[in-house]
Amino acid sequence: MTTKQQRQSLHGPPTGVGRLAGLRVALVFPVFIDVELASYQDNARYLGAVPPISLGYVAAVLEGAGAEVLLLDCPTLGMRVDRAVEVVRAFRPDYVGFTLATVDWLSSLKWMTGFKEALGVPIVVGGIHMECYPRETMTHDCIELGLVGHADQGLVELLARHQEGGDLSTVPGACYRDDDGEVVLVPENKRPRTDEGMPFPARHLWPTEKHFSIVSTEKYFTAAMSNFGCPYRCEFCILRGDALRQRSAMSVVDEMELCHHELGINEMDFFDPVFTMRRDRVFQICEEVKRRGLDSMVWSIRARTDAVDEEMLDALWAAGCRRIFYGIESGSNEILKRVDKRQTSTEHIRHAIIATKKRGFEVLAFVMIGNPLETPTTVGMTRRLLKDLPIDLVQIASLFPLPKTPIYEELMRMTGRDPWQEHILHGTPMKPTLRLDTGLDDETIRHLVTQTYMSFYFRPSFAKFALGRIKQPAQLMRGLEAAFGITKTFLSGPSAA
Ligand code: B12
């Protein structure tokens, strides 16, 4: 069964024991507002209330060291900044923690400034953004401490030393300002390759009963990570093979078992980009899920069409996996090759999706619009692929070149500018978006995204599918809301491109 450390992280550890005993830390997941990124806003509104997994891990690490933790999942609780400040004030924290993603920067900064002004408590930050712009982030006075890398690798030491007024310069991944106000970034240790030492997310601290995703059907629902990082090298993505931290089959199934038996969770969505990256692990997980009688749970995975095969699909189905999200990205082979998704061709996609659907899975496709070489013709090819194949649901993102991706780095070389850096330092607007090798502008892309959504979803076959899978009335409401939102965006857009 599970290790002692992991068991503790679902229930909370014995209080008052450990390096951080007596310390009180509030972790805040803000409501993201005033964000300029249209696709981000549109997606975020319909994706559901997904738990803040990153902060769940941070909380578990802190609790494991004896700290008392409050985790405020504000989007799920519908809590705005002024109310959140009051709840955190009542908790009397020694630190307030935020997880940062570059796309959410302005919104996070607003929340952090609000907290700092109201409470005066030191703010500590981490998350994927700290791997992109740690130095620029630490120039903002409202932030006291930062950490680059996984929380289990340096957070306890960082807070313990900071409390003691000790030397931070040897804490791996630490970010702070020295006595002269200069930003100091301590190099990270080499990242571990496994999840050893990483507890399970502290799910007892967030409102599981309120979580759902746009496609979830069961009560209760949660999200999880079966690996950290990704071994592939798609040019639009920040996760690029170098920081892969893999979890064992046993650890993944232990987490499922604890969620099911101790929190009443019946649906788990694994958010890591390629659950199937290690074939042998997929079979081990499926066997173990069945052996422990967990195949009554509904679970979903994300995969690539070139990282599944028929035997694997059979095993996944037999173990209760019911939904596969495939990153298809485009219906144009030229674009797939250009963004280094080249192991996949549209033929390959076709084959894998038909094989998946044949077994009964729900098939979800992620596609992007605005990649290099994109034209209205290639968008038409994507649209046709989506309609020709037995795909049940689609999620479309307009490409927003993200920091630390080859597409963005090429743009920086070409223009001599780093717009994200300017954005982090000075709040400079990110629109109009710099785009690589495509003449499509933001408005046209926004419209193409909406048109593609409409051409896919406003079909009788989709209505039949959607009505057939409703298990809770709330699902119907969410579907109608999304349809209404898409139509509204379409009507407010420019005339068809
Ligand atoms: C799950 C997920 C989501 C979920 C929401 C998650 C949630 N409610 O928290 C959903 C589906 C809603 C989502 C949506 C989006 N996402 Co998202 N998402 C992820 C994903 C797959 C996993 C994040 C995660 O939980 N990781 C697991 C944890 C353990 O890893 P971690 O985040 O690195 O955290 C560790 C450390 O960084 C550190 N740490 C983290 N926070 C903190 C805080 C403190 C105080 C400390 C000390 C340490 C610390 O410790 C953690 C544990 O070791 C990541 C990809 C990834 N990172 O794997 C993308 C990712 C974060 N998403 C991304 C994007 C772009 C989006 C969208 C904008 C997509 C879109 N176009 O709509 C939207 C909007 C996000 C929003 N704010 O709502 C980008 C962000 C890029 C960037 N630089 O900003 C990523 C990196 C994906 C990518 N490949 O590009 N996302």
Side-chain angles (χ1 to χ4, degrees), residues 365-420:
F366 291 120
V367 299
M368 306 174 88
I369 295 183
N371 263 312
L373 309 184
E374 194 83 271
T375 63
T377 309
T378 60
V379 177
M381 291 159 82
T382 304
R383 236 178 253 174
R384 261 193 308 283
L385 187 71
L386 293 175
K387 287 207 275 189
D388 285 355
L389 290 176
I391 291 171
D392 299 311
L393 290 146
V394 65
Q395 189 187 314
I396 310 163
S398 81
L399 176 83
F400 210 88
L402 290 170
K404 273 187 93 179
T405 62
I407 290 182
Y408 187 71
E409 277 161 8
E410 204 170 325
L411 280 168
M412 284 203 307
R413 271 195 303 278
M414 283 166 58
T415 60
R417 282 184 55 211
D418 182 350
W420 280 116

Side-chain angles (χ1 to χ4, degrees), residues 145-183:
L145 292 173
L147 185 78
V148 178
H150 279 290
D152 65 320
Q153 297 298 296
L155 181 57
V156 173
E157 198 55 34
L158 180 69
L159 295 191
R161 295 239 195 128
H162 188 253
Q163 278 290 295
E164 295 155 1
D167 178 18
L168 302 182
S169 69
T170 54
V171 180
C175 312
Y176 58 98
R177 286 178 299 276
D178 65 14
D179 294 342
D180 301 324
E182 290 297 316
V183 173

Side-chain angles (χ1 to χ4, degrees), residues 261-300:
H261 290 321
E262 301 191 16
L263 294 174
I265 287 168
N266 287 305
E267 178 162 356
M268 261 177 114
D269 190 344
F270 290 98
F271 265 83
D272 41 306
V274 194
F275 183 93
T276 54
M277 73 172 85
R278 261 187 45 209
R279 194 168 186 275
D280 59 335
R281 195 194 70 148
V282 175
F283 287 102
Q284 285 164 10
I285 290 176
C286 293
E287 274 314 303
E288 193 60 18
V289 162
K290 283 193 297 178
R291 199 184 65 75
R292 298 194 203 176
L294 298 170
D295 44 343
S296 61
M297 283 177 88
V298 169
W299 48 289
S300 315

